[in-house]
Amino acid sequence: GQNIDQPTEMTATEGAIVQINCTYQTSGFNGLFWYQQHAGEAPTFLSYNVLDGLEEKGRFSSFLSRSKGYSYLLLKELQMKDSASYLCAVNTGGFKTIFGAGTRLFVKA
Amino acid sequence: EAGVAQSPRYKIIEKRQSVAFWCNPISGHATLYWYQQILGQGPKLLIQFQNNGVVDDSQLPKDRFSAERLKGVDSTLKIQPAKLEDSAVYLCASSLQDTDTQYFGPGTRLTVL
């Protein structure tokens, strides 16, 4: 079957660094996406990884290891506005993208 | 560039009634998706169009849900008749092609009483 696992919730302190993990088991792999979703809003694109390694974009970085079926999203210098759900999604090829259930991040002062 | 448009934003109906949602994707995007998102869960794909053809509707409850994409642009999703468990946010998204980043509309929050 197809499976994407993420922690349900995480809490971190403003100014700190947090790492949100995602593991996947899918029939194929054609890229991994991270989306941010604030409460009551639609998901918005954060990052895309198709090759192994780290992609850095400002305060956000995303890492992929295809051999381990593993990715993480790293958020640095956390701000209150980073409180949101973070969705990991895998494109398995064959027109299919599967979303994980999301990790709800709470940033406290 | 205009984003994905959806209407209505909110809808409250009673069970067994019908409801329809509309989506206008980003211009030039070949792939259009309808997702159902229940509170606290990730989006669940209901149906995916490539231009005006269906490429995945494996999770669409076809006894009550239907969708079409006219001329490969706008799309409508219909529920008839609605059940209580259909209460959710219905998200429409589009992408240039199926492997590309998806851009989401604001969603329609459906409440079935």
Side-chain angles (χ1 to χ4, degrees):
Chain A
Q2 319 261 45
N3 204 45
I4 298 179
D5 286 315
Q6 305 178 234
T8 305
E9 283 184 6
M10 298 181 72
T11 301
T13 305
E14 196 174 16
I17 298 172
V18 72
Q19 178 175 311
I20 303 173
N21 295 326
C22 169
T23 57
Y24 62 90
Q25 291 174 303
T26 55
S27 55
F29 181 84
N30 206 23
L32 186 145
F33 297 85
W34 284 96
Y35 290 84
Q36 181 190 57
Q37 187 175 26
H38 284 102
E41 297 182 13
T44 55
F45 170 76
L46 283 178
S47 69
Y48 172 66
N49 294 71
V50 65
L51 299 176
D52 288 353
L54 189 68
E55 294 279 342
E56 296 188 77
K57 197 186 288 186
R59 293 190 300 114
F60 293 6
S61 304
S62 56
F63 172 83
L64 175 67
S65 169
R66 289 172 297 170
S67 61
K68 295 181 179 175
Y70 168 69
S71 173
Y72 67 74
L73 180 69
L74 194 71
L75 290 76
K76 302 175 194 171
E77 300 168 17
L78 277 174
Q79 302 175 10
M80 300 298 285
K81 67 178 182 180
D82 298 329
S83 293
S85 287
Y86 292 86
L87 302 166
C88 174
V90 173
N91 184 284
T92 65
F95 298 105
K96 211 173 223 3
T97 297
I98 301 170
F99 279 82
T103 298
R104 229 182 317 171
L105 175 66
F106 298 95
V107 180
K108 57 182 183 178
Chain B
E1 178 182 83
V4 177
Q6 287 189 249
S7 68
R9 292 294 312 276
Y10 304 92
K11 190 76 178 176
I12 300 174
I13 61 173
E14 298 195 346
K15 60 183 179 184
R16 291 189 287 273
Q17 285 188 323
S18 303
V19 65
F21 312 128
W22 173 82
C23 173
N24 180 238
I26 293 173
S27 177
H29 280 195
T31 312
L32 185 147
Y33 314 78
W34 281 102
Y35 290 93
Q36 180 192 61
Q37 188 173 26
I38 292 170
L39 191 64
Q41 299 181 18
K44 172 187 153 188
L45 181 69
L46 293 175
I47 189 167
Q48 179 176 337
F49 293 92
Q50 185 73 12
N51 298 305
N52 60 350
V54 175
V55 296
D56 187 349
D57 63 357
S58 55
Q59 298 192 94
L60 187 74
K62 297 180 188 63
D63 57 333
R64 299 184 301 107
F65 286 63
S66 64
E68 60 181 3
R69 188 179 185 193
L70 300 172
K71 300 178 183 176
V73 182
D74 290 10
S75 178
T76 56
L77 176 70
K78 295 179 182 175
I79 308 176
Q80 181 180 8
K83 291 185 174 181
L84 296 176
E85 59 261 34
D86 298 332
S87 293
V89 175
Y90 290 84
L91 294 165
C92 178
S94 70
S95 61
L96 274 171
Q97 296 295 336
D98 68 288
T99 54
D100 294 313
T101 300
Q102 295 183 32
Y103 295 88
F104 287 82
T108 298
R109 185 176 298 276
L110 174 68
T111 303
V112 182
L113 302 175

